[in-house]
Amino acid sequence: MSNTFSTSKINTLAACNEFQYLLLGDLRDILEETPDESNKRWLLEVLNVLVDLMPRERRLNEDSGGYMAEVLDEFPNWNRQVMRLHLKKLHLDYALRELRNRIRDEESWVAVADQLSSELADWMSLFHELHRAEASLVMDAMLLDIGPGD
């Protein structure tokens, strides 16, 4: 199967995030099925698109001023928190690429499906956790009221 979706059609971070969540839903559905070669192909299709989205998301971030620029513009001293989240994001991107490669290269998918499916489920949990932490930091920045000085 060839990848029929071009990630270049995604032109905003919001669209990228929305598409990632749709793909994660597809991934969850595939992982609930009994492992066979057919769902391995579909799993790889979804993983390939998710992996292809990574550089697109990075470019969109750079085009909008950088990762979490809206937070750093308002609170430059939050750089350590933003950098910590960014490093987690890069680690998750790398981990997903590695999992995809292991699944792609596995000759006996059925034999290792439970283990790799569990690792993918763990990755999805970490991905959701990262997005919650990012949203929380953005919300904190938006709601923080410095108040008038004395």
Side-chain angles (χ1 to χ4, degrees):
M1 271 183 210
S2 65
N3 191 354
T4 58
F5 185 84
S6 170
T7 58
S8 64
K9 296 175 185 176
I10 305 289
N11 57 11
T12 67
L13 279 172
C16 187
N17 287 332
E18 185 177 325
F19 191 52
Q20 285 174 328
Y21 274 95
L22 289 172
L23 289 169
L24 289 176
D26 291 344
L27 188 58
R28 193 175 302 107
D29 291 345
I30 294 167
L31 291 177
E32 289 175 358
E33 296 176 7
T34 303
D36 60 25
E37 287 305 310
S38 174
N39 67 8
K40 177 186 177 183
R41 283 190 303 273
W42 283 113
L43 179 63
L44 284 172
E45 285 294 319
V46 172
L47 291 174
N48 285 335
V49 175
L50 278 168
V51 167
D52 288 347
L53 276 175
M54 292 179 213
R56 182 73 182 150
E57 182 183 22
R58 281 192 290 277
R59 280 191 298 279
L60 290 168
N61 266 316
E62 288 306 314
D63 292 348
S64 64
Y67 180 76
M68 300 197 77
E70 68 277 11
V71 171
L72 291 175
D73 288 346
E74 206 55 42
F75 300 98
N77 59 328
W78 290 10
N79 187 50
R80 178 174 282 164
Q81 293 152 287
V82 169
M83 184 57 68
R84 194 173 304 123
L85 291 174
H86 191 234
L87 289 174
K88 283 182 183 180
K89 170 116 186 78
L90 293 173
H91 173 74
L92 282 173
D93 288 356
Y94 176 80
L96 182 64
R97 185 180 307 276
E98 288 298 308
L99 275 168
R100 187 270 319 256
N101 291 347
R102 286 173 51 207
I103 291 167
R104 181 193 61 209
D105 297 342
E106 184 57 54
E107 290 183 27
S108 178
W109 165 242
V110 175
V112 296
D114 286 343
Q115 176 191 349
L116 292 176
S117 294
S118 175
E119 289 180 42
L120 271 172
D122 291 345
W123 181 89
M124 288 190 304
S125 293
L126 291 172
F127 181 85
H128 286 299
E129 182 182 304
L130 173 67
H131 275 262
R132 280 191 299 274
E134 290 170 334
S136 178
L137 192 60
V138 169
M139 190 62 71
D140 287 349
M142 290 173 43
L143 297 177
L144 186 63
D145 183 40
I146 302 293
D150 289 340

